[in-house]
Amino acid sequence: MYVTINGTRLNVKLLGSELVDRPVMIAHHGAPGLGSMAEPDAAFARFAHELPLLVFDARGSGRSDGEPPFSHAQWADDIEGLRVWSGAEKVVVAGGSYGGFIAMEYAINYPDRVQALILRDTTADNTHMDVALRNAMESSRVTIDRAKFDRIVSGTVKDDADLADCWREILPLYDHGYNPEAVEQRANATPYRYRTHNYAFSVLHKNYDIRDRLPQITCPTLVTVGRHDWITPVECSEAIAALIPNSELVVFENSGHSPQVEEYDRFSSVVHQFLRAHT
């Protein structure tokens, strides 16, 4: 369905709405301009029999409208608008990769509304990009075209076709187990919105650092990460867990950037135990 939140029409999916006495889980996808609700839907729909799940295409991504402003604060305000729309007093907020940036921002800005926080393969600052570049250039899996790499990470792609070309270039780096067929399917299924991507990475990510604000997050927090994550390596999640007082860190030894896919059963078990303990 489409719901108008803060003046922008968002593409929204709500599962388990009959569980009216439970907090709603709102899950935010990663990769603005590349991501969509498909990612958190696949990761968390399995829990919709325990608590309602709301997934959506963020402003400027997927099938949602692209009304500015684009900012981490605005994307967090959109989560709050969805909470109000859902009627939930409390929410469990989940975010993977760039979606983790927004989930942490929401937990900082709306502490009284967050019952628990789930983070996956994310970071609290932008200092990891030198390591990510080294990991990409040293990979034996692909030969990186440095010009394409620089365009996508700096937010200077030319159009949707260029974004698709640059994305396909780095996609093989994301999984611990390499499946060229799956990479191609993912590239073809991606909804490309280059203007959103460019603004996120040329403006927002360039100045991103919330490490000094993380101690303000007081809700129970689950921090998960794949051991072989090339772009937000384990050290990023360790830093987050060290700064959020009531947090636990779980490392998935046989995963890259997506343990919810590569270690489906273990990820499900870890999240299930966390939800049972804190909701």
Side-chain angles (χ1 to χ4, degrees):
M1 71 185 81
Y2 285 93
V3 178
T4 299
I5 301 293
N6 296 327
T8 294
R9 201 176 62 134
L10 302 181
N11 184 30
V12 174
K13 181 178 180 180
L14 178 62
L15 302 173
S17 57
E18 69 279 4
L19 302 172
V20 294
D21 60 336
R22 307 302 307 277
V24 172
M25 177 188 284
I26 301 181
H28 202 294
H29 64 76
L34 286 165
S36 74
M37 68 162 71
E39 170 229 309
D41 189 18
F44 297 110
R46 68 197 84 165
F47 304 109
H49 66 284
E50 298 183 40
L51 71 172
L53 171 69
L54 193 159
V55 295
F56 65 105
D57 294 339
R59 173 187 303 250
S61 293
R63 295 180 179 177
S64 289
D65 290 347
E67 294 299 320
F70 295 133
S71 69
H72 294 176
Q74 180 62 66
W75 281 319
D77 287 347
D78 289 345
I79 295 178
E80 173 63 5
L82 287 167
R83 181 200 65 78
V84 173
W85 171 80
S86 74
E89 288 296 316
K90 293 276 192 175
V91 291
V92 175
V93 182
S97 195
Y98 205 112
F101 302 5
I102 313 307
M104 288 184 281
E105 183 94 18
Y106 181 82
I108 291 166
N109 293 351
Y110 296 95
D112 295 338
R113 296 300 182 184
V114 185
Q115 184 151 333
L117 179 64
I118 300 173
L119 304 173
R120 194 258 313 152
D121 294 83
T122 191
T123 182
D125 66 277
N126 62 13
T127 58
H128 63 292
M129 290 310 297
D130 288 342
V131 176
L133 172 61
R134 185 173 70 245
N135 290 340
M137 300 307 292
E138 291 178 354
S139 172
S140 59
R141 186 172 292 178
V142 291
T143 300
I144 294 296
D145 181 321
R146 182 62 189 270
K148 291 181 183 179
F149 183 91
D150 288 346
R151 286 204 302 280
I152 194 167
V153 300
S154 65
T156 55
V157 298
K158 303 167 189 174
D159 50 30
D160 285 344
D162 189 37
L163 179 57
D165 189 34
C166 294
W167 182 231
R168 187 175 269 102
E169 177 89 6
I170 63 173
L171 260 179
L173 300 171
Y174 279 86
D175 295 330
H176 178 44
Y178 180 38
N179 182 340
E181 228 173 78
V183 166
E184 190 63 20
Q185 289 172 356
R186 185 176 173 191
N188 291 335
T190 297
Y192 296 99
R193 305 278 296 272
Y194 85 97
R195 289 185 177 88
T196 307
H197 170 85
N198 277 357
Y199 192 83
F201 284 91
S202 67
V203 178
L204 304 179
H205 187 260
K206 187 168 69 174
N207 302 301
Y208 175 62
D209 188 347
I210 59 169
R211 287 174 292 183
D212 62 332
R213 300 171 67 202
L214 290 188
Q216 298 173 37
I217 298 176
T218 56
C219 65
T221 301
L222 173 65
V223 184
T224 67
V225 63
R227 175 66 70 187
H228 307 281
D229 187 341
W230 77 277
I231 192 164
T232 48
V234 173
E235 292 80 5
C236 296
S237 289
E238 290 174 337
I240 291 171
L243 289 167
I244 296 179
N246 189 14
S247 66
E248 58 178 297
L249 172 66
V250 180
V251 179
F252 291 82
E253 299 294 338
N254 298 304
S255 295
H257 194 63
S258 301
Q260 80 283 8
V261 175
E262 296 197 279
E263 293 185 68
Y264 179 94
D265 290 340
R266 185 176 176 229
F267 185 86
S268 298
S269 176
V270 167
V271 171
H272 176 74
Q273 290 176 30
F274 179 77
L275 291 174
R276 287 291 298 271
H278 300 294
T279 62

